[in-house]
Amino acid sequence: MTACSATTTTFVKVPATPIPVSLLAFCQPSAPPNNPLTFGDAVLWNELLLTDLENCNTQLDGIRQFEELHLK
């Protein structure tokens, strides 16, 4: 096994690719409509909050895809 002892390992520095800023934006939920909150307002607000959640999940999915492409 003397042939294996002569093997050297060389590490190559690879520049880091930054995650796009658009994927790192803060996910801000929609503010409640008005005070007092009526049932109708709550239904409309829930729709806005679900849209906000979907946008944040899309953003997180984009980060996962970016990492899969650039961290292999």
Coordinates of all heavy atoms in Angstrom, one line a residue:
M1 N 0.8 -1.2 0.0 CA 0.0 0.0 0.0 C 0.9 1.3 0.0 O 0.4 2.3 0.5 CB -0.9 0.0 1.2 CG -1.9 -1.1 1.2 SD -3.4 -0.1 0.8 CE -4.6 -1.3 0.5
T2 N 2.0 1.2 -0.5 CA 2.9 2.4 -0.5 C 2.4 3.4 -1.6 O 2.7 4.6 -1.5 CB 4.3 2.0 -0.8 OG1 4.4 1.3 -2.0 CG2 4.9 1.2 0.4
A3 N 1.7 3.0 -2.6 CA 1.2 3.9 -3.6 C 0.2 4.9 -3.1 O 0.1 6.0 -3.5 CB 0.6 3.1 -4.8
C4 N -0.6 4.5 -2.1 CA -1.6 5.4 -1.6 C -1.0 6.4 -0.7 O -1.5 7.5 -0.5 CB -2.6 4.6 -0.8 SG -3.6 3.5 -1.8
S5 N 0.2 6.2 -0.1 CA 0.8 7.1 0.8 C 1.3 8.3 0.1 O 1.5 9.4 0.7 CB 1.9 6.4 1.7 OG 2.9 6.0 0.8
A6 N 1.5 8.2 -1.2 CA 2.1 9.4 -1.9 C 1.0 10.3 -2.5 O 1.3 11.3 -3.1 CB 2.9 8.8 -3.1
T7 N -0.3 9.9 -2.3 CA -1.4 10.7 -2.8 C -1.5 12.0 -1.9 O -1.6 11.9 -0.7 CB -2.7 9.9 -2.7 OG1 -2.5 8.7 -3.5 CG2 -3.8 10.7 -3.3
T8 N -1.7 13.1 -2.5 CA -1.9 14.4 -1.8 C -3.3 14.9 -2.2 O -3.7 14.8 -3.3 CB -0.8 15.4 -2.1 OG1 -0.9 15.7 -3.5 CG2 0.6 14.9 -1.7
T9 N -3.9 15.6 -1.2 CA -5.2 16.2 -1.4 C -5.0 17.7 -1.6 O -4.3 18.3 -0.8 CB -6.1 15.9 -0.2 OG1 -6.2 14.5 0.0 CG2 -7.5 16.5 -0.4
T10 N -5.5 18.2 -2.6 CA -5.4 19.6 -2.9 C -6.9 20.2 -2.8 O -7.8 19.7 -3.5 CB -4.8 19.9 -4.3 OG1 -3.6 19.2 -4.4 CG2 -4.7 21.4 -4.5
F11 N -7.0 21.2 -2.0 CA -8.3 21.9 -1.9 C -8.3 23.1 -2.8 O -7.4 23.9 -2.8 CB -8.6 22.3 -0.5 CG -8.8 21.1 0.4 CD1 -7.7 20.7 1.2 CD2 -10.0 20.5 0.5 CE1 -7.9 19.6 2.0 CE2 -10.1 19.4 1.3 CZ -9.1 18.9 2.1
V12 N -9.4 23.3 -3.6 CA -9.6 24.4 -4.5 C -10.6 25.4 -3.9 O -11.7 24.9 -3.6 CB -10.0 23.9 -5.9 CG1 -10.2 25.1 -6.8 CG2 -9.0 22.9 -6.4
K13 N -10.3 26.6 -3.8 CA -11.2 27.6 -3.3 C -12.2 28.0 -4.4 O -11.8 28.3 -5.5 CB -10.5 28.9 -2.8 CG -9.8 28.6 -1.5 CD -9.2 29.9 -0.9 CE -8.5 29.6 0.4 NZ -8.1 30.8 1.0
V14 N -13.5 27.9 -4.1 CA -14.5 28.2 -5.1 C -15.2 29.5 -4.5 O -15.6 29.5 -3.4 CB -15.5 27.1 -5.2 CG1 -16.6 27.5 -6.2 CG2 -14.8 25.8 -5.7
P15 N -15.3 30.5 -5.3 CA -16.0 31.7 -4.8 C -17.5 31.4 -4.5 O -18.1 30.7 -5.3 CB -15.9 32.7 -6.0 CG -15.6 31.9 -7.2 CD -14.9 30.6 -6.7
A16 N -17.9 32.0 -3.4 CA -19.3 31.8 -3.0 C -20.2 32.6 -3.9 O -19.9 33.7 -4.3 CB -19.5 32.2 -1.6
T17 N -21.3 32.0 -4.3 CA -22.3 32.7 -5.1 C -23.4 33.2 -4.2 O -24.1 32.4 -3.5 CB -23.0 31.8 -6.1 OG1 -21.9 31.2 -6.9 CG2 -23.9 32.5 -7.0
P18 N -23.6 34.5 -4.0 CA -24.6 35.0 -3.1 C -26.0 34.7 -3.6 O -26.3 34.7 -4.8 CB -24.3 36.5 -3.1 CG -23.7 36.8 -4.4 CD -22.9 35.6 -4.8
I19 N -26.9 34.5 -2.6 CA -28.3 34.3 -2.9 C -28.9 35.6 -3.3 O -28.6 36.6 -2.7 CB -29.0 33.7 -1.6 CG1 -28.5 32.4 -1.2 CG2 -30.5 33.7 -1.9 CD1 -29.0 31.8 0.0
P20 N -29.7 35.6 -4.4 CA -30.3 36.9 -4.9 C -31.0 37.6 -3.8 O -31.7 37.0 -3.0 CB -31.2 36.4 -6.0 CG -30.7 35.1 -6.4 CD -30.1 34.5 -5.2
V21 N -30.9 38.9 -3.8 CA -31.6 39.7 -2.7 C -33.1 39.5 -2.8 O -33.8 39.6 -1.7 CB -31.2 41.2 -2.9 CG1 -31.9 42.1 -1.9 CG2 -29.7 41.4 -2.8
S22 N -33.7 39.3 -4.0 CA -35.1 39.2 -4.1 C -35.6 38.0 -3.3 O -36.8 37.9 -2.8 CB -35.5 39.0 -5.5 OG -34.9 37.9 -6.1
L23 N -34.8 36.9 -3.1 CA -35.2 35.8 -2.3 C -35.0 36.0 -0.8 O -35.5 35.2 0.0 CB -34.4 34.5 -2.8 CG -34.6 34.1 -4.2 CD1 -33.7 32.9 -4.6 CD2 -36.1 33.7 -4.4
L24 N -34.3 37.0 -0.5 CA -34.0 37.2 1.0 C -34.8 38.4 1.6 O -34.6 38.7 2.7 CB -32.5 37.6 1.2 CG -31.5 36.5 0.7 CD1 -30.1 37.0 0.9 CD2 -31.7 35.2 1.6
A25 N -35.8 38.9 0.8 CA -36.6 39.9 1.3 C -37.5 39.5 2.4 O -37.9 38.3 2.5 CB -37.5 40.5 0.1
F26 N -37.7 40.3 3.4 CA -38.5 40.0 4.6 C -40.0 39.8 4.2 O -40.5 40.5 3.4 CB -38.4 41.1 5.6 CG -39.2 40.9 6.9 CD1 -38.7 39.9 7.7 CD2 -40.3 41.6 7.2 CE1 -39.4 39.6 8.9 CE2 -41.0 41.3 8.3 CZ -40.5 40.4 9.2
C27 N -40.6 38.7 4.6 CA -42.0 38.4 4.4 C -42.8 39.1 5.4 O -42.9 38.8 6.5 CB -42.2 36.9 4.5 SG -41.5 35.9 3.2
Q28 N -43.5 40.2 4.9 CA -44.3 41.0 5.8 C -45.8 40.7 5.6 O -46.3 40.8 4.5 CB -44.1 42.5 5.4 CG -44.8 43.5 6.3 CD -44.2 43.5 7.7 OE1 -43.0 43.3 7.9 NE2 -45.1 43.8 8.7
P29 N -46.5 40.2 6.7 CA -47.9 39.9 6.5 C -48.7 41.2 6.3 O -48.3 42.3 6.8 CB -48.2 39.2 7.8 CG -47.2 39.6 8.8 CD -46.0 39.9 8.0
S30 N -49.8 41.0 5.7 CA -50.7 42.2 5.5 C -51.3 42.6 6.8 O -51.6 41.8 7.7 CB -51.9 41.8 4.6 OG -51.4 41.5 3.3
A31 N -51.5 43.9 7.0 CA -52.0 44.5 8.2 C -53.5 44.2 8.3 O -54.2 44.1 7.2 CB -51.7 46.0 8.3
P32 N -54.1 44.1 9.5 CA -55.5 44.0 9.6 C -56.3 45.2 9.0 O -55.7 46.3 9.1 CB -55.8 43.8 11.0 CG -54.6 44.2 11.7 CD -53.5 44.2 10.8
P33 N -57.4 45.0 8.4 CA -58.1 46.1 7.7 C -58.4 47.3 8.6 O -57.9 48.3 8.4 CB -59.4 45.4 7.1 CG -59.2 44.0 7.3 CD -58.1 43.7 8.3
N34 N -59.3 47.2 9.5 CA -59.7 48.3 10.3 C -60.2 47.8 11.7 O -60.4 46.6 11.9 CB -60.7 49.2 9.7 CG -61.9 48.4 9.2 OD1 -62.2 47.3 9.6 ND2 -62.7 49.0 8.3
N35 N -60.4 48.7 12.6 CA -60.8 48.3 13.9 C -62.2 48.9 14.2 O -62.4 50.1 14.0 CB -59.8 48.9 14.9 CG -59.8 48.1 16.2 OD1 -60.5 47.1 16.3 ND2 -58.9 48.5 17.1
P36 N -63.2 48.2 14.6 CA -63.2 46.8 14.9 C -63.2 45.9 13.7 O -63.7 46.3 12.6 CB -64.5 46.6 15.7 CG -65.4 47.6 15.2 CD -64.5 48.8 14.8
L37 N -62.7 44.7 13.8 CA -62.6 43.8 12.7 C -63.9 43.0 12.6 O -64.4 42.3 13.5 CB -61.5 42.8 12.9 CG -61.2 41.8 11.8 CD1 -60.7 42.5 10.6 CD2 -60.1 40.8 12.3
T38 N -64.6 43.2 11.4 CA -65.9 42.5 11.2 C -65.6 41.2 10.6 O -64.5 40.9 10.2 CB -66.8 43.3 10.3 OG1 -66.2 43.4 9.0 CG2 -67.0 44.8 10.8
F39 N -66.7 40.3 10.6 CA -66.5 39.0 10.0 C -66.2 39.1 8.5 O -65.3 38.4 8.1 CB -67.8 38.2 10.2 CG -67.8 36.8 9.6 CD1 -67.1 35.8 10.3 CD2 -68.3 36.5 8.4 CE1 -67.0 34.5 9.7 CE2 -68.3 35.3 7.8 CZ -67.6 34.3 8.5
G40 N -66.8 40.0 7.8 CA -66.5 40.2 6.4 C -65.1 40.6 6.2 O -64.4 40.1 5.3
D41 N -64.6 41.5 7.0 CA -63.2 42.0 6.9 C -62.2 40.8 7.2 O -61.2 40.7 6.6 CB -63.0 43.1 7.9 CG -63.6 44.4 7.5 OD1 -64.0 44.6 6.3 OD2 -63.9 45.3 8.4
A42 N -62.6 40.0 8.2 CA -61.7 38.9 8.6 C -61.6 37.9 7.4 O -60.5 37.4 7.1 CB -62.3 38.2 9.8
V43 N -62.7 37.7 6.7 CA -62.6 36.8 5.5 C -61.7 37.3 4.5 O -60.8 36.6 3.9 CB -64.0 36.5 4.9 CG1 -64.0 35.8 3.6 CG2 -64.9 35.8 6.0
L44 N -61.8 38.6 4.2 CA -61.0 39.2 3.2 C -59.5 39.3 3.6 O -58.6 39.1 2.8 CB -61.5 40.7 2.9 CG -62.8 40.7 2.2 CD1 -63.3 42.2 2.1 CD2 -62.9 40.0 0.9
W45 N -59.3 39.5 4.9 CA -58.0 39.5 5.5 C -57.3 38.2 5.4 O -56.1 38.0 5.1 CB -58.0 40.1 6.9 CG -56.7 40.3 7.5 CD1 -55.5 40.8 6.9 CD2 -56.3 40.1 8.9 NE1 -54.5 40.9 7.8 CE2 -55.0 40.5 9.0 CE3 -57.0 39.7 10.0 CZ2 -54.3 40.4 10.3 CZ3 -56.4 39.7 11.2 CH2 -55.0 40.0 11.3
N46 N -58.1 37.1 5.7 CA -57.6 35.8 5.6 C -57.1 35.5 4.2 O -56.0 34.8 4.0 CB -58.6 34.7 6.0 CG -58.8 34.6 7.5 OD1 -57.9 35.0 8.2 ND2 -59.9 34.2 7.9
E47 N -57.8 35.9 3.2 CA -57.4 35.7 1.8 C -56.0 36.4 1.5 O -55.1 35.9 0.9 CB -58.4 36.3 0.8 CG -58.1 36.0 -0.6 CD -59.2 36.5 -1.6 OE1 -60.3 36.8 -1.1 OE2 -58.9 36.5 -2.8
L48 N -55.9 37.7 2.1 CA -54.6 38.4 1.9 C -53.5 37.6 2.6 O -52.3 37.5 2.1 CB -54.7 39.8 2.5 CG -55.6 40.8 1.7 CD1 -55.7 42.1 2.5 CD2 -55.0 41.0 0.3
L49 N -53.7 37.1 3.8 CA -52.7 36.4 4.6 C -52.3 35.1 3.9 O -51.1 34.8 3.9 CB -53.2 36.2 6.0 CG -53.4 37.4 6.9 CD1 -54.0 37.0 8.3 CD2 -52.1 38.1 7.1
L50 N -53.3 34.4 3.3 CA -52.9 33.2 2.6 C -52.1 33.5 1.4 O -51.1 32.8 1.0 CB -54.2 32.5 2.2 CG -54.9 31.7 3.3 CD1 -56.3 31.2 2.8 CD2 -54.1 30.6 3.9
T51 N -52.3 34.6 0.7 CA -51.5 35.1 -0.4 C -50.1 35.4 0.1 O -49.1 35.0 -0.6 CB -52.2 36.3 -1.1 OG1 -53.5 35.9 -1.6 CG2 -51.3 36.7 -2.3
D52 N -50.0 36.1 1.2 CA -48.7 36.4 1.8 C -47.9 35.1 2.1 O -46.7 35.0 1.8 CB -48.9 37.2 3.1 CG -49.5 38.6 2.8 OD1 -49.4 39.1 1.7 OD2 -50.0 39.2 3.8
L53 N -48.6 34.2 2.7 CA -48.0 32.9 3.0 C -47.5 32.2 1.8 O -46.4 31.6 1.7 CB -48.9 32.0 3.8 CG -48.4 30.7 4.3 CD1 -47.3 30.9 5.3 CD2 -49.5 29.9 5.0
E54 N -48.3 32.2 0.7 CA -47.9 31.5 -0.5 C -46.7 32.2 -1.1 O -45.8 31.5 -1.6 CB -49.1 31.6 -1.5 CG -48.8 30.9 -2.8 CD -50.0 31.0 -3.8 OE1 -51.1 31.4 -3.4 OE2 -49.8 30.7 -5.0
N55 N -46.6 33.6 -1.0 CA -45.5 34.3 -1.6 C -44.2 33.9 -0.8 O -43.1 33.8 -1.3 CB -45.7 35.8 -1.5 CG -46.8 36.2 -2.5 OD1 -47.0 35.5 -3.5 ND2 -47.4 37.3 -2.3
C56 N -44.3 33.8 0.5 CA -43.2 33.5 1.4 C -42.7 32.1 1.1 O -41.5 31.8 1.0 CB -43.5 33.6 2.9 SG -43.7 35.4 3.3
N57 N -43.7 31.1 0.9 CA -43.3 29.8 0.6 C -42.6 29.7 -0.8 O -41.7 28.9 -1.0 CB -44.5 28.9 0.7 CG -44.9 28.6 2.1 OD1 -44.1 28.6 3.0 ND2 -46.2 28.3 2.3
T58 N -43.1 30.5 -1.7 CA -42.4 30.5 -3.0 C -41.0 31.0 -2.9 O -40.1 30.5 -3.5 CB -43.3 31.4 -4.0 OG1 -44.6 30.9 -4.1 CG2 -42.6 31.5 -5.4
Q59 N -40.8 32.0 -2.1 CA -39.5 32.6 -1.8 C -38.6 31.5 -1.2 O -37.4 31.4 -1.6 CB -39.6 33.8 -0.9 CG -38.4 34.6 -0.7 CD -38.7 35.8 0.2 OE1 -39.9 36.2 0.3 NE2 -37.7 36.4 0.7
L60 N -39.1 30.8 -0.2 CA -38.3 29.7 0.4 C -37.9 28.6 -0.6 O -36.8 28.1 -0.6 CB -39.0 29.1 1.6 CG -39.1 30.1 2.8 CD1 -40.0 29.4 3.9 CD2 -37.8 30.3 3.4
D61 N -38.9 28.3 -1.4 CA -38.7 27.3 -2.4 C -37.6 27.7 -3.4 O -36.7 26.9 -3.8 CB -40.0 26.9 -3.2 CG -39.8 25.7 -4.0 OD1 -39.2 24.7 -3.6 OD2 -40.4 25.7 -5.2
G62 N -37.6 29.0 -3.7 CA -36.6 29.6 -4.6 C -35.2 29.5 -4.0 O -34.2 29.2 -4.7
I63 N -35.1 29.7 -2.7 CA -33.8 29.6 -2.0 C -33.3 28.1 -2.0 O -32.2 27.8 -2.2 CB -33.9 30.1 -0.5 CG1 -34.2 31.6 -0.5 CG2 -32.7 29.7 0.3 CD1 -34.5 32.2 0.9
R64 N -34.3 27.2 -1.8 CA -33.9 25.7 -1.8 C -33.4 25.4 -3.2 O -32.4 24.7 -3.3 CB -35.1 24.9 -1.5 CG -35.4 24.8 0.0 CD -36.5 23.8 0.3 NE -37.0 24.1 1.6 CZ -38.2 24.8 1.8 NH1 -38.9 25.2 0.8 NH2 -38.6 25.0 3.0
Q65 N -34.1 25.8 -4.3 CA -33.6 25.5 -5.6 C -32.3 26.2 -5.9 O -31.4 25.5 -6.5 CB -34.7 26.0 -6.6 CG -35.9 25.3 -6.6 CD -37.0 25.9 -7.6 OE1 -36.7 26.8 -8.2 NE2 -38.2 25.2 -7.6
F66 N -32.0 27.4 -5.4 CA -30.8 28.1 -5.6 C -29.6 27.3 -5.0 O -28.6 27.1 -5.5 CB -30.8 29.5 -5.1 CG -29.6 30.2 -5.2 CD1 -29.3 30.9 -6.4 CD2 -28.6 30.3 -4.2 CE1 -28.1 31.6 -6.6 CE2 -27.4 31.0 -4.4 CZ -27.2 31.7 -5.5
E67 N -29.9 26.8 -3.7 CA -28.9 26.0 -3.0 C -28.6 24.7 -3.7 O -27.4 24.3 -3.7 CB -29.3 25.8 -1.6 CG -29.3 27.1 -0.7 CD -29.8 26.8 0.7 OE1 -30.5 25.8 1.0 OE2 -29.4 27.7 1.5
E68 N -29.6 24.1 -4.2 CA -29.4 22.8 -4.9 C -28.5 23.0 -6.2 O -27.7 22.2 -6.5 CB -30.7 22.2 -5.3 CG -31.5 21.6 -4.2 CD -32.8 21.0 -4.6 OE1 -33.1 21.0 -5.8 OE2 -33.6 20.6 -3.7
L69 N -28.7 24.1 -6.9 CA -27.9 24.4 -8.1 C -26.5 24.8 -7.8 O -25.6 24.5 -8.5 CB -28.6 25.5 -8.9 CG -29.9 25.1 -9.6 CD1 -30.5 26.3 -10.2 CD2 -29.7 24.0 -10.6
H70 N -26.3 25.6 -6.7 CA -25.0 26.2 -6.5 C -24.2 25.5 -5.4 O -23.0 25.9 -5.2 CB -25.2 27.7 -6.1 CG -25.7 28.4 -7.3 ND1 -27.0 28.6 -7.6 CD2 -25.1 29.0 -8.3 CE1 -27.2 29.3 -8.7 NE2 -26.0 29.6 -9.2
L71 N -24.8 24.6 -4.6 CA -24.0 24.0 -3.5 C -23.7 22.6 -3.8 O -23.4 21.8 -2.8 CB -24.8 24.2 -2.2 CG -25.0 25.6 -1.7 CD1 -25.7 25.6 -0.4 CD2 -23.6 26.3 -1.6
K72 N -23.7 22.1 -5.0 CA -23.4 20.7 -5.3 C -21.9 20.6 -5.6 O -21.2 21.4 -6.0 CB -24.2 20.2 -6.5 CG -25.6 20.0 -6.2 CD -26.3 19.3 -7.4 CE -27.7 18.9 -7.0 NZ -28.4 18.2 -8.0

